[in-house]
Amino acid sequence: MATLAMTRLDPQSRAARRGWSDLTIRNAFIIPTIAFLIIFNIFPLLYSLGYSFTDFRASTNAPANFVGLANYKALLNDPFIWRNFAITAKYVIVSVAGQVIVGFGVAMLLNRAIPFKGLITTLLLLPMMLSMAVVGLFWKLLYDPSFGIINYALGLGRFEWLSNPDMALYAVAITDIWMWSPFVMLLSLAGLSAVPKHLYEAAAIDRAGPLYTFFRITLPLVAPILMIAIIFRTMEAFKTFDLAYILTSQPTTEVISIRLYKMAFQEWQTGMSCALAYIMLIMVVAITNIYVKYLNKVKER
Amino acid sequence: MTQIELRGVQKWFGSNQVIKDMNLDIADGEFIVMLGQSGCGKTTTLRAIAGLETIDEGDILIDGSAVQHLKCSDRDIAMVFQSFSLYPHMTVYQNIAFPLHATRTSSADADKRVREIAGVLRITDLLERRPSALSGGDMQRVAIGRALVRQPKAMLMDEPIGALDTKLREEMRAEIKRLHVRQGSTTIYVTHDQVEAMSLADRIVIMHEGVLQQVGTPEEVYGHPENLFVAQFVGSPVMNVADAKVADEGGKVRIHLDPADPGFEFPRELLSRLNGHAAGGLKVGVRPEGILVSHEAKAGYVPLEAQIIEPLGSHDIVDLKVGTGMIRARTPSGFVPKVGEKVHARIDPAQAHFFDTGSGKSLGVRL
């Protein structure tokens, strides 16, 4: 169809008067995009791959020496890096699970005839539209032990959210859940409203109870779209930086991307940090692949 | 043993009344077909019996106890939907087993019953497939299997074969009948197809605009329609209905369907049976097979011209010109060789129906 729609230029058009052909116009749109992608995405990707095999430091003028897989070996044998990965994994699990439970729950509540449904949905989506940095700064105030509204509302006195090493990671996760549950809610809502009503009627006739209906009808039918939400949120949570960086500086909240940032721009171990970035990339791709495999299996029917 | 009873059931959608004072008794093991045009309230009535719709007034009784306030799951009624409503993410086996698993039947018992019902419906080799890989007829079999597997008190079917093509419909019709004979469960079946209704039903319930029009066996409904709506809704081709003028000619009466026609002869006893309708406000109805057609002039036959001939193989439907109007007659095939031919016809008095023009009610005249 697209090729059919591409007709001869109108001889009166400006492009025609300038002597532009369809091909020229097509290239005028595509070439800048491709150039941008190559310069800002693909080139750095390959360039950093090269650096990951060297001892390059961006802070000095010393030439980069090729060190082979030494960076990777050092990183994978470093117990501190593994602690960072463990923190990240804990954060991903808590945060994504929280978002799915809250988001899917709210979607279930909204998936019925209620007054002001559109308005409520829009308002619930607001956190998602804020900037990460703004959310981080706001929640820092909300969590404040002396004047924060959270302690006041929950009657927790001077409970330390962010300076308590055991609590800080959960505090970051709670903020992330607050911010991104609406995303899961939105996708779940789309999935839920796509489940045909007559299937629920059939289940009622078949004498299925509400829990049985939920686990055997609702959940399996929403699973593919819920899976997509989970893939997105897992990837994002794995890379999380701003929220954790702004909210606290506890060693227990040093997720892998904060470690990467420190390694690259505070310790200036450029080569090493490139290697770490590659390890992260491989992990994210691997985790996402597991989900995508599962998603395809779910979608098969 | 399941009797279903509707007593004074009323239902509104907003200001629109969709069921108007419905009263109906359904005996155990009976096959009831609800027949009517779309939007006549038949599906709503069915869904109300199933518990998928609430009713505003009246009682629904199953085996003598009122169930209108119970959830569907507590009424123990199975239903087959027009859209089949198979669970798309489950195999045929899981679909049929669903009602058993949902009520925590032991899996050995469930397995036995699923395989038994699959055998009855001849879908044993489809058990591992998903609904998306089934043909329409097989989907319907699975939907029926899912309804039958738990031996419900009653079966409700909402146009279950409406979505299938003609040949398959005929096949499934026979199959549903066979199953009903075998299982003997009380069945309520909704359709807008009168052939389906006639062929399946023990009794037909005809509805129009939320009002029950007539309840009766297929023969009663066809042979003695209680009003004009039933008369014209049941039967194909549609019954001929025309305003009738009655002329007394001493030994017999003539009924004119049109000022210009020569009039059809009826026995004189008709006059006394019309309850004063002879003067006016009378409609006469006669099915195409109630028009007797002959090539030769006979006593009581009037000459009419054939205008349209519809050959249907087993018989022809011939439109005969009566004054400015038309009546349709059923003749053996090829009886009237071509359009324009004159034939002689009369109305068989035994097959004529008389209705009051105002109320549309049958006068109950049987000659």
Side-chain angles (χ1 to χ4, degrees):
Chain A
M1 287 307 283
T3 49
L4 283 177
M6 215 182 229
T7 50
R8 194 173 284 275
L9 271 179
D10 179 1
Q12 301 303 314
S13 72
R14 242 163 58 175
R17 267 182 279 137
R18 285 181 189 162
W20 287 7
S21 69
D22 287 353
L23 205 64
T24 319
I25 294 171
R26 191 190 71 187
N27 290 345
F29 280 104
I30 290 175
I31 287 173
T33 315
I34 291 180
F36 185 90
L37 269 177
I38 290 174
I39 294 168
F40 290 101
N41 283 342
I42 296 171
F43 170 72
L45 195 70
L46 297 176
Y47 207 71
S48 63
L49 181 64
Y51 272 142
S52 73
F53 298 114
T54 68
D55 63 355
F56 179 64
R57 285 173 164 276
S59 56
T60 66
N61 287 328
N65 299 312
F66 182 78
V67 295
L69 290 171
N71 285 336
Y72 289 92
K73 216 185 261 174
L75 284 168
L76 293 175
N77 284 321
D78 183 349
F80 291 104
I81 292 289
W82 282 108
R83 220 194 54 184
N84 292 131
F85 273 121
I87 291 169
T88 310
K90 192 167 147 194
Y91 174 78
V92 168
I93 291 167
V94 171
S95 164
V96 174
Q99 285 165 32
V100 168
I101 292 167
V102 174
F104 196 77
V106 175
M108 290 282 285
L109 290 177
L110 282 174
N111 188 36
R112 65 188 72 194
I114 49 168
F116 308 112
K117 187 171 157 180
L119 181 70
I120 293 171
T121 312
T122 312
L123 287 177
L124 282 172
L125 290 180
L126 281 179
M128 209 170 84
M129 300 172 187
L130 300 174
S131 139
M132 285 272 208
V134 172
V135 171
L137 291 172
F138 260 114
W139 277 77
K140 207 169 182 174
L141 296 176
L142 300 181
Y143 277 136
D144 192 283
S146 46
F147 58 81
I149 197 165
I150 291 178
N151 281 351
Y152 176 77
L154 298 178
L156 292 175
R158 297 183 66 82
F159 184 77
E160 302 273 2
W161 286 91
L162 298 170
S163 41
N164 178 344
D166 297 327
M167 199 59 213
L169 189 71
Y170 294 105
V172 179
I174 288 171
T175 309
D176 199 45
I177 292 169
W178 176 82
M179 188 167 176
W180 289 107
S181 291
F183 175 79
V184 180
M185 179 200 86
L186 197 64
L187 286 189
S188 306
L189 205 52
L192 282 172
S193 51
V195 178
K197 197 168 154 263
H198 58 79
L199 290 187
Y200 292 121
E201 289 183 345
I205 290 280
D206 288 341
R207 298 198 288 177
L211 271 182
Y212 195 81
T213 308
F214 176 78
F215 284 109
R216 296 301 305 277
I217 309 283
T218 314
L219 206 54
L221 288 173
V222 183
I225 200 155
L226 191 62
M227 217 55 220
I228 289 172
I230 291 174
I231 291 176
F232 272 107
R233 290 317 308 153
T234 305
M235 273 161 57
E236 289 285 312
F238 198 88
K239 303 186 306 185
T240 218
F241 174 79
D242 5 21
L243 270 189
Y245 191 75
I246 291 166
L247 279 170
T248 91
S249 49
Q250 297 284 333
T252 52
T253 63
E254 197 181 74
V255 291
I256 196 68
S257 51
I258 292 182
R259 181 84 280 269
L260 178 65
Y261 167 77
K262 286 181 177 165
M263 197 184 276
F265 302 110
Q266 289 177 357
E267 298 158 14
W268 293 109
Q269 304 187 56
T270 313
M272 186 77 93
S273 61
C274 286
L276 181 56
Y278 259 87
I279 292 173
M280 273 179 75
L281 180 71
I282 290 164
M283 282 184 161
V284 173
V285 169
I287 294 169
T288 316
N289 244 316
I290 296 171
Y291 283 139
V292 170
K293 284 254 163 62
Y294 178 76
L295 177 68
N296 285 339
K297 218 177 87 188
V298 170
K299 275 203 313 200
E300 247 169 42
R301 57 202 184 215
Chain B
M1 292 293 284
T2 308
Q3 289 135 345
I4 299 174
E5 220 175 302
L6 304 183
R7 282 198 206 138
V9 172
Q10 316 250 20
K11 164 95 185 158
W12 280 266
F13 281 138
S15 59
N16 183 15
Q17 190 170 6
V18 287
I19 305 176
K20 293 172 189 159
D21 192 25
M22 177 104 168
N23 289 287
L24 184 64
D25 276 349
I26 299 167
D28 178 52
E30 211 175 3
F31 199 118
I32 290 282
V33 175
M34 290 201 188
L35 178 65
Q37 293 151 324
S38 50
C40 72
K42 57 191 191 308
T43 297
T44 311
T45 309
L46 192 77
R47 290 168 57 88
I49 296 171
L52 295 172
E53 299 279 357
T54 56
I55 55 172
D56 296 307
E57 261 175 61
D59 294 305
I60 298 173
L61 294 96
I62 297 179
D63 287 338
S65 51
V67 297
Q68 65 269 25
H69 300 301
L70 296 181
K71 287 185 291 184
C72 352
S73 48
D74 299 328
R75 300 189 191 190
D76 194 9
I77 276 180
M79 182 157 168
V80 178
F81 296 83
Q82 180 174 18
S83 50
F84 310 144
S85 289
L86 299 178
Y87 308 121
H89 56 293
M90 298 183 193
T91 61
V92 168
Y93 181 93
Q94 289 168 321
N95 262 285
I96 298 179
F98 187 90
L100 299 175
H101 290 154
T103 49
R104 304 204 163 64
T105 311
S106 77
S107 43
D109 190 21
D111 185 69
K112 202 182 112 225
R113 277 158 73 179
V114 170
R115 292 193 188 280
E116 185 191 319
I117 208 84
V120 172
L121 290 161
R122 303 185 207 114
I123 48 174
T124 307
D125 38 338
L126 304 178
L127 284 176
E128 295 316 313
R129 294 227 204 138
R130 292 205 188 274
S132 52
L134 297 181
S135 66
D138 287 336
M139 280 198 206
Q140 192 53 66
R141 287 196 179 87
V142 176
I144 292 173
R146 190 177 66 184
L148 285 176
V149 74
R150 62 183 168 89
Q151 288 142 4
K153 282 188 180 166
M155 275 281 272
L156 308 182
M157 299 191 179
D158 183 7
E159 308 216 11
I161 55 181
L164 307 181
D165 59 66
T166 320
K167 192 171 173 299
L168 204 53
R169 278 164 83 142
E170 231 159 80
E171 225 177 282
M172 288 306 295
R173 210 163 68 201
E175 185 134 347
I176 289 171
K177 186 112 189 174
R178 177 176 70 87
L179 275 173
H180 176 251
V181 169
R182 186 181 177 278
Q183 302 267 333
S185 54
T186 311
T187 305
I188 307 177
Y189 184 107
V190 159
T191 182
H192 62 263
D193 180 344
Q194 42 111 1
V195 179
E196 230 168 273
M198 301 284 287
S199 61
L200 286 170
D202 291 330
R203 283 195 299 158
I204 297 180
V205 175
I206 295 169
M207 290 184 72
H208 181 54
E209 290 178 346
V211 182
L212 197 151
Q213 304 287 321
Q214 184 172 358
V215 184
T217 62
E219 297 77 26
E220 281 167 5
V221 168
Y222 188 81
H224 305 290
E226 275 174 18
N227 58 38
L228 271 174
F229 175 80
V230 176
Q232 294 196 285
F233 193 70
V234 177
S236 171
V238 175
M239 180 189 276
N240 298 293
V241 175
D243 288 317
K245 296 266 178 304
V246 184
D248 189 355
E249 294 187 347
K252 53 197 180 240
V253 290
R254 265 185 196 282
I255 288 188
H256 296 273
L257 306 182
D258 187 279
D261 82 22
F264 293 93
E265 246 176 56
F266 277 81
R268 191 156 203 286
E269 56 169 317
L270 175 67
L271 269 187
S272 57
R273 308 271 290 273
L274 287 178
N275 290 336
H277 283 83
L282 180 71
K283 272 186 192 286
V284 64
V286 57
R287 297 196 185 279
E289 66 266 29
I291 311 267
L292 308 176
V293 187
S294 154
H295 285 299
E296 300 88 40
K298 284 196 222 169
Y301 281 63
V302 293
L304 295 171
E305 190 190 312
Q307 290 224 309
I308 299 171
I309 301 168
E310 293 171 37
L312 297 176
S314 60
H315 60 272
D316 290 353
I317 300 296
V318 180
D319 288 20
L320 301 168
K321 194 177 172 202
V322 178
T324 53
M326 205 81 87
I327 57 172
R328 315 188 82 197
R330 179 180 162 143
T331 70
S333 26
F335 186 83
V336 183
K338 64 176 200 295
V339 169
E341 201 94 339
K342 279 256 194 268
V343 290
H344 300 269
R346 68 168 299 183
I347 294 173
D348 180 5
Q351 295 189 56
H353 307 270
F354 297 90
F355 303 96
D356 174 58
T357 307
S359 66
K361 285 225 166 7
S362 169
L363 300 177
V365 177
R366 293 182 190 181
L367 291 169

